[in-house]
Amino acid sequence: DFITVVDPEHKNVAVKIVRQIREDVFIRPNESDYKIYLFPQELGLEGQNALLKILEEPPKYGVFLLLTDNPDKLLPTVRSRCTELKLQALESKTIRNQLRLDFPKATEEDIAAAVFRSGSFLGQARQLLEAQRNRKAQKCKRSKLQLQKKLQIE
């Protein structure tokens, strides 16, 4: 089982959500041998403290992935219970090739801009192109509605 833990209403994951995860981890996984919790959003000090006990003694099937761009944002007590993996940005060429596959209608200029603005991180580059695609679709939809209204008036 793979659970992404986010709190879209707050900058940091709220402590109440961390407490729910702490309870949920003791429910055995349904679809796999492991229950993996991904924390792509920062944890505040209260959230980190709430997670400490489960990080000390997780069930055998429990895995926690805490993502951060700065390990110093994590409490020393949390870091001491984790294995640190340092991930590097991909080569620009690799990202451009993947983005061409993911966004075949995107221009080379748009792809190059997404790679640059993302700092060569594929996920961020995808988000930038997806947001751009959504803006273009909304703009197209508005233009279409304006044209339909104009035709109705005439």
Side-chain angles (χ1 to χ4, degrees), residues 86-101:
K86 293 184 180 185
L87 305 177
Q88 301 297 318
L90 297 170
E91 288 185 25
S92 295
K93 180 181 176 181
T94 304
I95 295 175
R96 281 193 306 272
N97 290 339
Q98 186 60 49
L99 293 175
R100 284 184 196 109
L101 293 173

Side-chain angles (χ1 to χ4, degrees), residues 21-28 35 37 54 57-59 61:
I21 295 303
R22 216 172 45 191
E23 293 173 16
D24 181 74
V25 74
F26 290 104
I27 300 170
R28 292 198 164 275
K35 204 165 193 181
Y37 295 90
I54 200 66
E57 300 172 19
Y61 53 81

Side-chain angles (χ1 to χ4, degrees), residues 13 48 55 67 69 96 111-112 116 119 124 127 135 138:
V13 176
Q48 290 181 54
L55 290 176
L67 304 184
D69 57 358
R96 281 193 306 272
I111 288 173
F116 177 76
Q124 290 177 352
Q127 287 175 348
R135 282 191 304 272
Q138 288 288 25

